[in-house]
Amino acid sequence: MLRGISLTVSAGERVALVGESGAGKSTLLSVLQSRYDGNTALIPQDLGLVRNLSVFHNVYMGSLHRHSAAYNLMNLVWPRPAEVARIRPIVERLGLADKLFERVGRLSGGQQQRTAICRALLQGGDAVLGDEPVSATDNHQSRIILDALSETFETVILAMHDVDLALEFSTRIIGIKGGGIALDAPAGDLSRADLDFLFRD
Amino acid sequence: MAVPTISTPSTPRFSPVAKVSMGFVAVAVACFVFADISITTLDPWSEMKRMAWGAVTPDFSVVTGLGMVVVRTIAFALSGVALGALGGFLLSQVFHLGPVRWACASVRAIHELFWALIFLQMLGLSPLTGVLAIAIPYAGICAKVYAETLEEAELPALRVLPKGTGMVSAFFFARLPEVWVHLKTYTAYRFECGLRSATVLGFVGLPTLGFHLETAFSEGNYSEAAALLIIFYVLIASLRFWMRPKLVGFYVLGAPFLLGGGAAIDMANITRFLTVDIVPAPLRRGEFLDGQTWSNLGDWTWTLLMDQALPGMIATLLLTQIALVATGILALVLFPLISRKFFGPVGRSVGHGFLVVMRSTPEFILAYIFLQLWGPSMLPAIVALSIHNGAIIGHLVGRFSDEVRLRPDSPRGLNLYGFEIVPRVYGQFLAFLFYRWEVIMRETAILGILGIATLGFFIDSALADIRLDRAMFLIAVTAVFNMGIDILSRRIRSRLRLSTQAGRA
Amino acid sequence: MPSIRTLALCSAVSLLAWAAPAPIALADPFVFTAIPDEDESRLRQRFDKLADYFTKKLGVETKYIPVKSYAAAITAFRNNQVQLAWFGGLSGVRARNLVPGSLAIAQGYEDQAFVTYFIAHASTGLKLSAAFPKDMAGKTFTFGSKGSTSGRLIPEYHIRRNFKTAPGKVFKKVGFSGNHSKTIALVQSGAYQVGAVNFKVWQNQMKAGKIDPAKVSVIWKTPPYPDYQWTIRGDVGKRWKAGFIQRVRDVLLAMKDPDLLNSFPRKSFVPASNIDYRPIWDVAKQIKLID
């Protein structure tokens, strides 16, 4: 899928991986994830949600590593007020406040996507790796999400299909085409037209 | 849209599935020649008339404290299944270990009635006897099914868990909730089986519905028997109304207190059973280092194998093979009754009712009834086994047939059945049938208690003579035999590429 | 997720419930059982009445528990879940062999010389004879329970002695009806052509009009042998008062209530001892029903 790629991302960068679907963005993301040994939060394309659990529980899963198993189980059975208080603002910010105890399986695609993002936000860490995390949200929400991610994580690497949004949000654009890196430049130096070739045959 | 073609085997002449089917039918026909099949009662019709009269004049007044009997039956089922499911769940976590898999296979190869007979020796008529008789084999079955379900589940959340998440937390957050619904559905199905098991355990003396059923039938009080059976059907049919998820907790909590009193348990009896009773007589009586002891043990084993185990196994196998094919034929005949492809809503609900009654009645009770009617031979057992299992498989195949998509101008009636539906559901049907093979054999063995010369007959005889060493030896033979069939069935299923998954229902 | 919550709660609490010791009855009643040799409802009537009689006469709460098989009666006695039992000859011998110190204390007057009847369906043409009816060979035959004295041990003994081979080789088919009432019913219906039955049950059912002489009749009567008896555990004195065994025996021997006696049916109860059953032991050993 990918060939001859060498890529270094430094701390503090906000990277957007841009390209057609099937160009190799997801593969590159998973390679990055396996090579990176710090604390990363993940937002995979399938979102990694447990459909039978509530939004609260799915978000809480981002903090499983911080607590003892007993405390985690207690929260599974009976959410502690302290944890609800910690999670509620995150969920509120992404517009899911009224869905906190709704089963994720009953939410829309966009709501599920935001749940996965909340989980990453709660988890925190040095970096976040996201595969099209804003594909199902409108522009306004996308900005809120991208802002939240940038605030929480020092390094952000996202695969994106919306070129305008990528230019606006990121500090560096990596264009993928045919399994290789076709473009790697600071976002400030690029315009929309410079990226068009990525989507042409 | 492409018109679906009828899938008929062309080259070679017979598909492997067809060959295996014909092989099984041929074996069953051969078995039929050797099997003892006859109606020995001179006038089965008069008895049948009395039974039919009983069925239309049920008498609910006879059994005093009928309410308590029903409560006990439910309590035994609940306690046994809850304990079995819990044990099975814990075992499913270590199911990948060889010894655990084998242990589970061997406990589930022994029918709950045999377990009850074993525990009767150790614990007497204590409620624990009934609870363990259900819990132990059910733990073995649940362990297997739970483990397979957990293994096959898609677990996307497992990949996004933060580094450093503990195993326990990961299991309960990312794994268990994904399969929870499956486990719940399966456990609910097990509970229905548990109600049947609890009822049947009454036949060996536990205070459930079966206790009174046995009395009523053996004394020819068919009105009373009909009343008890009606209560049993109502219990099963109304399950979804009273077995609410929210109430399960209270039920399980209350059940142990509703099992009724019983004899106190004495450790000495348990120790004696395990260290003396089941030790083969020559070992128990002889000196351990004496050569004579061991040659006696050899004789003991050989005599038991040749005089009892072997004839028992032959009869068990004959009966199993005939019952298996009869079950298959009946299932193929019955499934259209509940299929949307063949009947409208009215016809189907009649079909459903019919199949529910047929499959809810435990084979043991059916066999008992037919034995009263026709006298002892293999016939009552064959009919009982094929009715119960045929209705179960018919139900599953019927549901499966609803999913078949037909072209708009497909034929109707018999042509539809023969050319469109059966060829498409046949693979699934065989998967269901082969899955029941082991179950049918387990039941066949147990019917020996009623007097048909299968392995159960010899086990029952050994128990009647208080020769527990022989009984345990024969039970072990039965278990091994059953595990052999299980392995064979799995081989055939995988050779024919029949989905094992679907057969589990 | 309420269902996970329920599950967690329940498993925790039910573990506690299971771990807690089973409730133990405050005052242990004196419990007895009987081999299920006849229709259960009849047995229940008889022995519930007897339990009341014991309770009154012994001054100790007495309870009867019904069991489903001869073996279950022996096992309950052996496991000390019953302390007294109304056994047949064979089951009594087996039980006393398994429980050292247990004693046969009383038997029915008729049990001193008990008899088994061989009965046959009218269609066989077999008639009552003084000599052993060898022409029943090749017919279908049913015993009573596998563990019965009058329905299994004694008839099998006579069949083996006269035919010099196992019943399975003498008859076309051999079955075990389960109890004497059913043996009569099965032979009367023709399900089996010949059967062996306890003579007391036969006479009792004849009196009750349950037998159609046109369909089934007695073809042979065995020589007499000792049968039913009351057997008590030797250790009951420890649990109740010393001399308890003697008191139970006295209460049995003093039974005059015709209603109770008729329900067995026995004329009266007379003393019995273990040694009276030596012949049963020998016969059982001979035909290998006891090792």
Side-chain angles (χ1 to χ4, degrees):
Chain A
M1 191 82 189
L2 293 174
R3 52 192 157 72
I5 280 188
S6 146
L7 181 66
T8 314
V9 177
S10 22
E13 280 189 304
R14 294 205 298 274
V15 181
L17 306 177
V18 181
E20 277 189 316
S21 57
K25 289 174 291 179
S26 302
T27 320
L28 182 56
L29 267 179
S30 58
V31 172
L32 282 172
Q33 185 214 334
S34 63
R35 298 286 162 86
Y36 188 76
D37 50 2
N39 280 326
T40 49
L42 299 174
I43 309 164
Q45 200 149 34
D46 68 10
L47 302 176
L49 295 171
V50 180
R51 298 170 58 84
N52 286 322
L53 290 182
S54 68
V55 170
F56 169 83
H57 287 112
N58 272 283
V59 176
Y60 179 85
M61 284 168 78
S63 65
L64 284 175
H65 58 309
R66 288 190 210 127
H67 307 294
S68 70
Y71 186 78
N72 286 338
L73 288 188
M74 206 180 349
N75 270 288
L76 182 63
V77 176
W78 222 297
R80 316 303 309 150
E83 298 302 327
V84 178
R86 199 192 319 278
I87 284 166
R88 194 182 287 281
I90 303 174
V91 175
E92 255 164 19
R93 182 171 182 187
L94 267 61
L96 289 170
D98 55 331
K99 306 283 181 204
L100 188 56
F101 290 104
E102 187 95 41
R103 258 184 354 112
V104 161
R106 301 171 67 164
L107 301 182
S108 71
Q111 290 167 330
Q112 293 188 355
Q113 209 167 39
R114 280 180 274 151
T115 306
I117 291 161
C118 289
R119 180 190 62 217
L121 289 173
L122 180 73
Q123 183 178 343
D126 311 329
V128 62
L129 295 169
D131 196 348
E132 304 275 5
V134 290
S135 62
T137 47
D138 62 39
N139 255 337
H140 172 67
Q141 281 176 335
S142 299
R143 291 207 172 81
I144 297 176
I145 291 168
L146 294 174
D147 284 347
L149 288 173
S150 312
E151 277 168 35
T152 309
F153 298 95
E154 194 186 1
T155 310
V156 181
I157 306 171
L158 302 180
M160 296 174 79
H161 69 284
D162 186 328
V163 174
D164 294 324
L165 212 55
L167 285 169
E168 183 186 326
F169 142 81
S170 62
T171 59
R172 176 181 172 189
I173 302 269
I174 295 175
I176 316 275
K177 193 175 167 99
I181 294 179
L183 171 92
D184 186 350
D189 300 352
L190 297 167
S191 69
R192 197 179 198 294
D194 295 328
L195 300 178
D196 274 354
F197 81 100
L198 291 170
F199 299 94
R200 248 182 275 129
D201 286 325
Chain B
M1 198 185 92
V3 176
T5 50
I6 302 166
S7 61
T8 39
S10 45
T11 51
R13 194 154 166 224
F14 295 111
S15 69
V17 167
K19 276 188 209 153
V20 166
S21 309
M22 290 189 291
F24 269 85
V25 172
V27 168
V29 170
C31 288
F32 211 79
V33 176
F34 294 103
D36 161 33
I37 288 166
S38 54
I39 292 180
T40 48
T41 39
L42 283 188
D43 187 11
W45 288 110
S46 72
E47 199 68 7
M48 215 178 286
K49 262 186 272 169
R50 296 217 308 121
M51 270 191 194
W53 178 245
V56 294
T57 55
D59 180 359
F60 293 88
S61 67
V62 191
V63 180
T64 44
L66 194 55
M68 203 54 217
V69 175
V70 174
V71 168
R72 290 242 158 98
T73 307
I74 299 172
F76 270 105
L78 269 170
S79 311
V81 174
L83 211 60
L86 187 68
F89 180 74
L90 296 176
L91 285 168
S92 70
Q93 301 307 305
V94 286
F95 200 71
H96 54 277
L97 303 174
V100 174
R101 245 193 343 265
W102 276 101
C104 289
S106 45
V107 295
R108 67 171 185 266
I110 298 173
H111 192 279
E112 51 265 28
L113 259 181
F114 285 143
W115 279 114
L117 291 171
I118 292 172
F119 283 113
L120 273 174
Q121 295 299 326
M122 284 195 263
L123 310 173
L125 276 172
S126 146
L128 204 55
T129 295
V131 173
L132 289 179
I134 298 175
I136 289 181
Y138 279 35
I141 298 168
C142 288
K144 179 181 168 215
V145 174
Y146 291 170
E148 282 173 0
T149 310
L150 282 164
E151 200 176 292
E152 286 153 11
E154 296 251 356
L155 304 166
L158 221 48
R159 283 183 292 116
V160 302
L161 290 180
K163 277 181 198 163
T165 301
M167 262 175 50
V168 175
S169 301
F171 177 82
F172 281 97
F173 275 84
R175 216 178 257 274
L176 185 59
E178 290 289 2
V179 294
W180 181 248
V181 176
H182 292 284
L183 299 191
K184 219 166 64 176
T185 313
Y186 183 76
T187 310
Y189 164 72
R190 269 289 128 201
F191 177 67
E192 194 189 317
C193 300
L195 276 179
R196 275 199 287 270
S197 298
T199 302
V200 167
L201 290 184
F203 278 68
V204 294
L206 286 150
T208 64
L209 274 172
F211 189 101
H212 302 280
L213 258 178
E214 201 266 350
T215 308
F217 270 119
S218 71
E219 295 178 14
N221 296 330
Y222 297 131
S223 295
E224 189 186 331
L228 290 163
L229 274 178
I230 288 169
I231 288 172
F232 175 72
Y233 295 135
V234 169
L235 210 57
I236 300 260
S238 64
L239 255 180
R240 64 200 157 105
F241 299 112
W242 53 271
M243 204 42 167
R244 313 299 302 189
K246 292 221 167 116
L247 295 175
V248 170
F250 297 103
Y251 289 149
V252 173
L253 288 187
F257 302 100
L258 294 169
L259 295 169
I265 291 160
D266 186 348
M267 267 319 282
N269 292 331
I270 301 174
T271 319
R272 188 203 59 216
F273 176 78
L274 295 174
T275 58
V276 182
D277 290 353
I278 62 172
V279 178
L283 271 184
R284 206 187 317 146
R285 299 221 182 88
E287 285 292 323
F288 194 73
L289 291 175
D290 188 355
Q292 188 59 40
T293 306
W294 296 95
S295 95
N296 285 349
L297 181 66
D299 291 346
W300 182 88
T301 313
W302 180 250
T303 315
L304 208 50
L305 274 177
M306 297 318 281
D307 291 358
Q308 307 197 9
L310 194 62
M313 277 157 80
I314 291 172
T316 305
L317 198 60
L318 282 180
L319 184 48
T320 303
Q321 291 315 109
I322 299 173
L324 182 73
V325 171
T327 296
I329 293 171
L330 199 64
L332 285 178
V333 172
L334 290 176
F335 87 82
L337 291 182
I338 63 153
S339 172
R340 280 202 199 102
K341 300 284 187 292
F342 296 95
F343 287 97
V346 179
R348 280 205 312 276
S349 44
V350 173
H352 268 296
F354 183 59
L355 288 193
V356 163
V357 168
M358 279 167 74
R359 71 168 188 268
S360 300
T361 321
E363 307 88 315
F364 194 79
I365 293 176
L366 284 174
Y368 190 91
I369 296 173
F370 294 131
L371 264 171
Q372 308 289 309
L373 278 179
W374 302 326
S377 81
M378 284 192 179
L379 184 67
I382 294 170
V383 175
L385 287 166
S386 49
I387 284 184
H388 175 77
N389 292 296
I392 289 179
I393 298 177
H395 171 75
L396 295 171
V397 174
R399 272 202 322 206
F400 184 75
S401 73
D402 284 345
E403 288 160 27
V404 171
R405 289 219 191 159
L406 292 175
R407 63 198 155 103
D409 60 342
S410 61
R412 310 175 130 265
L414 264 182
N415 286 333
L416 173 70
Y417 177 82
F419 284 90
E420 295 279 354
I421 303 291
V422 171
R424 282 169 219 222
V425 299
Y426 198 76
Q428 202 58 47
F429 157 76
L430 271 192
F432 292 140
L433 189 62
F434 281 128
Y435 190 79
R436 291 301 293 183
W437 195 4
E438 168 213 9
V439 179
I440 291 175
M441 168 162 285
R442 206 164 40 212
E443 285 289 341
T444 303
I446 209 77
L447 293 183
I449 294 179
L450 298 177
I452 300 148
T454 61
L455 281 161
F457 175 83
F458 297 100
I459 294 169
D460 180 61
S461 300
L463 287 169
D465 293 349
I466 322 283
R467 283 163 167 156
L468 307 179
D469 48 348
R470 295 191 189 189
M472 280 309 276
F473 181 86
L474 292 169
I475 288 177
V477 168
T478 310
V480 171
F481 198 38
N482 209 47
M483 283 155 79
I485 287 288
D486 193 18
I487 292 169
L488 187 62
S489 147
R490 220 173 318 143
R491 289 257 166 88
I492 295 178
R493 276 179 298 178
S494 74
R495 168 138 329 161
L496 297 180
R497 290 177 223 288
L498 301 172
S499 150
T500 41
Q501 260 301 276
R504 192 189 287 148
Chain C
M1 217 184 142
S3 34
I4 282 202
R5 185 179 307 170
T6 328
L7 175 86
L9 256 179
C10 306
S11 37
V13 186
S14 53
L15 273 179
L16 283 179
W18 281 103
I24 293 164
L26 288 176
D28 281 353
F30 178 53
V31 187
F32 71 96
T33 191
I35 48 170
D37 59 341
E38 274 188 80
D39 282 356
E40 189 183 299
S41 41
R42 185 196 303 269
L43 295 181
R44 213 182 258 268
Q45 246 174 19
R46 176 200 302 171
F47 290 112
D48 282 342
K49 235 188 302 178
L50 187 68
D52 292 342
Y53 175 80
F54 275 137
T55 306
K56 212 162 60 198
K57 299 279 169 169
L58 286 172
V60 173
E61 195 206 335
T62 308
K63 227 175 72 184
Y64 160 68
I65 57 164
V67 289
K68 284 282 183 197
S69 70
Y70 284 49
I74 299 173
T75 304
F77 184 77
R78 183 189 193 193
N79 288 352
N80 202 9
Q81 291 172 335
V82 302
Q83 290 78 43
L84 175 74
W86 175 241
F87 282 130
L90 177 60
S91 43
V93 160
R94 278 186 170 139
R96 290 191 295 276
N97 185 36
L98 291 170
V99 184
S102 54
L103 298 165
I105 49 172
Q107 59 184 347
Y109 175 82
E110 294 87 337
D111 293 306
Q112 302 171 87
F114 213 76
V115 177
T116 292
Y117 286 173
F118 280 59
I119 56 174
H121 191 264
S123 64
T124 59
L126 295 170
K127 292 274 174 306
L128 181 65
S129 72
F132 184 81
K134 279 204 164 188
D135 39 355
M136 68 185 175
K139 305 268 188 294
T140 58
F141 183 89
T142 184
F143 290 110
S145 162
K146 284 174 186 168
S148 164
T149 310
S150 50
R152 163 82 188 277
L153 175 73
I154 298 298
E156 177 162 345
Y157 169 74
H158 286 290
I159 289 164
R160 281 177 185 270
R161 212 173 58 120
N162 283 286
F163 289 110
K164 311 270 180 261
T165 181
K169 300 211 166 79
V170 174
F171 299 106
K172 197 165 119 202
K173 178 191 281 223
V174 173
F176 293 93
S177 71
N179 66 45
H180 300 295
S181 313
K182 280 179 76 184
T183 302
I184 298 174
L186 286 175
V187 177
Q188 179 157 284
S189 78
Y192 284 98
Q193 293 170 297
V194 186
V197 68
N198 171 326
F199 86 118
K200 277 296 208 206
V201 175
W202 173 270
Q203 289 175 349
N204 216 25
Q205 297 216 354
M206 189 62 101
K207 225 188 281 168
K210 287 192 171 175
I211 296 172
D212 181 354
K215 283 187 179 159
V216 57
S217 61
V218 178
I219 57 167
W220 190 60
K221 299 174 178 175
T222 63
Y225 56 89
D227 203 348
Y228 291 77
Q229 87 295 145
W230 287 102
T231 294
I232 193 165
R233 287 182 65 98
D235 54 10
V236 285
K238 272 186 262 164
R239 226 154 128 190
W240 287 277
K241 282 164 238 152
F244 191 71
I245 295 180
Q246 192 53 46
R247 276 181 51 215
V248 174
R249 187 203 299 255
D250 292 344
V251 165
L252 280 167
L253 299 183
M255 196 188 295
K256 291 284 178 296
D257 182 355
D259 212 31
L260 260 178
L261 286 168
N262 279 335
S263 71
F264 273 85
R266 296 293 185 271
K267 225 160 79 184
S268 65
F269 286 106
V270 299
S273 66
N274 292 4
I275 198 75
D276 296 338
Y277 291 87
R278 185 73 210 187
I280 295 290
W281 173 265
D282 292 337
V283 170
K285 199 131 188 157
Q286 247 182 66
I287 65 170
K288 297 211 168 91
L289 279 178
I290 288 179
D291 289 322

